[in-house]
């Protein structure tokens, strides 16, 4: 027989029973040394100490036992404790005396599907049926963004109705959902959430490390249910459970999900609030150990508590994170950005934009009416001279007048700018019948649309929204110019391709006895666009007195055609020195065809090099975007770490240099 005395438990057991108990104690001590969580003598049953407060000479904590089967009952005398190396008297208090709240944190992204939503509804019903009636239950879902659907309440019907209306769609914002759940639970009493997710996250504004830190600092307990574990990120779920001083359970089918939710509800029924009398002479950081037993199950939980500052500090490994002893402070769901008059800066900016837009519209509508008496008299004289009827007084301004006002404002902005002449030349070359003011209004509209598109696509965080606004401004400023240059270049290429046939048509007309003007008229009538329109314009200039050489030269400048300049030079020389103009034009057309053939041959030979350049340019950019999508934490080191920022800058410079170098290699002038 072996005598055993342990904290007031005088028993005499048979040798075999003592050996079994000693083996269990060794297991308990081993697990306590590695994480502060004990293992049961028969089956693993982790425990945790949360909601720790120190007041005067006593310490109060909530002991949660997660055991399978029926809820665990811990009667008086089954719980003992030590503070430091001294025994501490334990008093059990009703757990219902304090506030207990839990939030169901549900993944509703597109990966869940309709079957996943049915599983969620069934599991939530099982949880609500097993949870103690005094526990406040809330609901938070997360897909493209987190949504706090139901605040913690004892109305189980409200939670069931909200769960029944959940739909699966969009991306996943797991980490943002954790911040929302922490904020919803508040800072008072025992707080926990039950998370159902596969651990994936595709567009949160927060990171895994930030979510884990928020769980540790807030004291919220995390009960994690890993759904579809074949596709889940187990390390993420385990890290969240450890940071939240909770547990993680794998569930690959609806039955397993129901069991996991039911176990989380029974853990709430297995809670007991313990009050320890702190031994005299102890202060500062002390190890608090609580031991409990029920039947032949034994559990042990330990925390390091600062008795002076009344806060819990974790010195064990990450498997048992620390919980604040004083009323924990839950971080805000998204970190509050700059605010103006109590409102977020995004809302303030939107209201300012709406205000400026309304003011601009009112000014545009009212400005035609705000005319001086002198201006009205001058307008009356002009209307009389021109034979038009003056506008009636008091008639509302029409949309055409508003557009004219905006265009006139654009004309004033474009007037005197160096780029205006180049812009008008491009508009004329692209055959776009726009004025400079209309182009300015179009640029402003493009900037507004770009900003709206950037905010629509990138709105997950403040940084992304700022980047979206900047990207929208850049796109609105550069994209119209790029499209205009592309349209002008495309029309010039069509004109250049038609020019040899046009010259042959003029030569044939000259050979039949037509004059040069008659030959140009045939081109205007029979040639394809854009050659027909341009030669028709040149012919119209000659009919009002311009010389044909000057008309062809202006057409060459307008179309920026080097071939047409050579053609005009050949016609001018022939008219000065004489000769066969038809034969000269045929020779010129043949030369142009040979140059175009050589240009196409060079383009074909350099196509492989250009394709390789495009692939080499797109590969690092595409790989960066893909890695940012599938492993954001890994890629984020490039802009959150000084070395990473240097690498990113070096990579960008190298990419730009490579683009210019490859462009020079494959660009062959003919």
């Amino acid at each position: 027989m072996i005598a055993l005395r342990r904290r007031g438990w005088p028993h005499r057991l048979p040798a075999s029973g003592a050996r079994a108990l000693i083996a269990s104690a060794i297991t308990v001590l081993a697990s306590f040394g590695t994480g502060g969580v004990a293992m049961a003598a028969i089956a693993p049953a982790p425990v945790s100490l949360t909601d720790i407060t120190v007041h005067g000479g006593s310490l109060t904590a909530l002991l949660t036992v997660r055991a399978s089967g029926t809820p665990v009952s811990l009667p008086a005398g089954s719980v003992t404790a030590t503070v430091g190396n001294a025994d501490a008297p334990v008093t059990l208090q009703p757990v219902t005396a304090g506030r207990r709240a839990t939030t169901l944190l549900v993944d509703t992204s597109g990966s869940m599907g309709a079957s996943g939503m049915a599983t969620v509804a069934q599991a939530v019903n099982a949880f609500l049926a097993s949870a103690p009636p005094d526990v406040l239950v809330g609901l938070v879902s997360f897909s493209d963004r987190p949504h706090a659907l139901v605040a913690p309440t004892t109305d189980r019907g409200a939670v069931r109705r909200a769960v029944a209306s959940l739909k699966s769609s969009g991306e996943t914002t797991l980490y943002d959902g954790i911040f929302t759940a922490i904020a919803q639970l508040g800072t008072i009493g025992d707080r926990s959430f039950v998370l159902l997710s596969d651990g994936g996250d595709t567009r949160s504004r927060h990171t895994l490390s930030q979510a884990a830190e928020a769980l540790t600092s807030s004291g919220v307990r995390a009960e994690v249910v890993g759904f579809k574990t074949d596709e889940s990120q187990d390390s993420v779920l385990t890290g969240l459970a450890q940071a939240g001083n909770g547990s993680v359970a794998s569930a690959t089918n609806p039955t397993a999900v129901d069991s996991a939710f039911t176990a989380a509800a029974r853990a709430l029924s297995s809670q007991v609030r313990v009050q320890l009398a702190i031994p005299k002479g102890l202060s500062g950081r002390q190890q608090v150990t609580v031991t409990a037993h029920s039947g032949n199950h034994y559990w042990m939980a330990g925390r390091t508590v600062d008795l002076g500052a009344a806060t819990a500090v974790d010195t064990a490994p990450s498997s048992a994170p620390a919980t604040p002893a004083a009323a924990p402070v839950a971080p805000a769901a998204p970190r509050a950005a700059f605010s103006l008059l109590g409102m977020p800066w995004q809302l303030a900016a939107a209201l300012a934009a709406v205000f400026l837009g309304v003011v601009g519209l009112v000014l545009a509508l009212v400005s035609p009416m705000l005319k001086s008496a002198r201006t009205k008299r001058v307008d009356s004289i002009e209307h009389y001279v021109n034979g038009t009827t003056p506008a009636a007084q008091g008639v509302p301004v029409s949309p055409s007048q508003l557009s004219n006002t905006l265009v006139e404002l654009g004309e004033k902005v474009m007037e005197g700018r160096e780029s205006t002449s180049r812009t008008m030349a491009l508009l004329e070359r692209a055959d776009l019948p726009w004025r400079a003011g209309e182009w300015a209004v179009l640029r402003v509209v493009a900037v507004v649309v770009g900003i709206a598109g950037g905010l629509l696509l990138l709105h997950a965080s403040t940084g992304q929204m700022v980047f979206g606004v900047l990207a929208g401004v850049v796109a609105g400023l550069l994209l119209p110019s790029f499209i205009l240059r592309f349209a002008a270049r495309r029309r010039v290429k069509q004109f250049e391709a038609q020019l040899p046939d046009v010259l042959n048509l003029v030569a044939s007309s000259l050979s039949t006895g037509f004059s040069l003007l008659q030959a140009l008229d045939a081109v205007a009538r029979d040639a394809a666009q854009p050659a027909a329109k341009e030669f028709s314009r040149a012919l119209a200039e000659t009919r009002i007195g311009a010389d044909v050489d000057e008309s062809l030269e202006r057409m060459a400048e307008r179309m920026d055609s080097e071939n047409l300049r050579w053609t005009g030079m050949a016609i001018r020389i022939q008219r000065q020195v004489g000769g066969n103009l038809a034969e000269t034009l045929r020779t010129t057309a043949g030369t142009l065809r040979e140059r175009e053939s050589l240009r196409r041959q060079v383009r074909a030979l350099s196509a492989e090099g250009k394709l390789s350049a495009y692939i080499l340019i797109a590969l690092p950019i595409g790989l960066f975007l893909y890695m940012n999508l599938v492993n954001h934490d890994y890629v984020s080191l490039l802009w959150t770490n000084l070395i990473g920022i240097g690498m990113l800058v070096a990579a960008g410079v190298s990419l730009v240099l490579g683009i210019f170098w490859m462009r020079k290699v494959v660009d062959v002038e003919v």
Side-chain angles (χ1 to χ4, degrees), residues 454-486:
L455 290 176
L456 181 63
L457 296 177
L458 301 173
H459 59 275
S461 63
T462 302
Q464 290 186 0
M465 292 181 67
V466 173
F467 178 77
V469 170
L470 295 178
V473 171
V474 173
L477 292 175
L478 299 183
L479 194 59
S481 298
F482 174 79
I483 295 176
L484 177 61
R485 294 178 185 276
F486 175 78

Side-chain angles (χ1 to χ4, degrees), residues 503 505-523 525 539 542-543 548 571 574-575 581-582 585:
L503 296 181
L505 178 59
V506 173
S508 300
S509 300
L510 292 174
S511 300
T512 58
F514 283 14
S515 66
L516 180 59
L517 293 180
Q518 290 175 325
L520 296 180
D521 183 64
V523 171
R525 286 185 287 103
L539 186 62
T542 60
R543 288 173 178 171
V548 63
I571 294 175
Q574 188 274 337
R575 297 186 67 182
L581 180 58
L585 293 179

Side-chain angles (χ1 to χ4, degrees), residues 606-616:
S606 62
E608 182 179 359
K610 290 182 179 180
L611 181 60
S612 300
Y614 296 152
I615 294 175
L616 291 175

Side-chain angles (χ1 to χ4, degrees), residues 606-631:
S606 62
E608 182 179 359
K610 290 182 179 180
L611 181 60
S612 300
Y614 296 152
I615 294 175
L616 291 175
I617 294 170
L619 186 61
I621 300 175
L623 185 60
F624 170 78
L625 296 176
Y626 174 76
M627 291 299 296
N628 185 52
L629 180 65
V630 300
N631 197 347

Side-chain angles (χ1 to χ4, degrees), residues 517 520-521 524 534-544 551:
L517 293 180
L520 296 180
D521 183 64
E534 294 300 327
F535 277 92
S536 176
R537 182 173 177 178
L539 186 62
E541 292 177 358
T542 60
R543 288 173 178 171
I544 60 176
S551 299

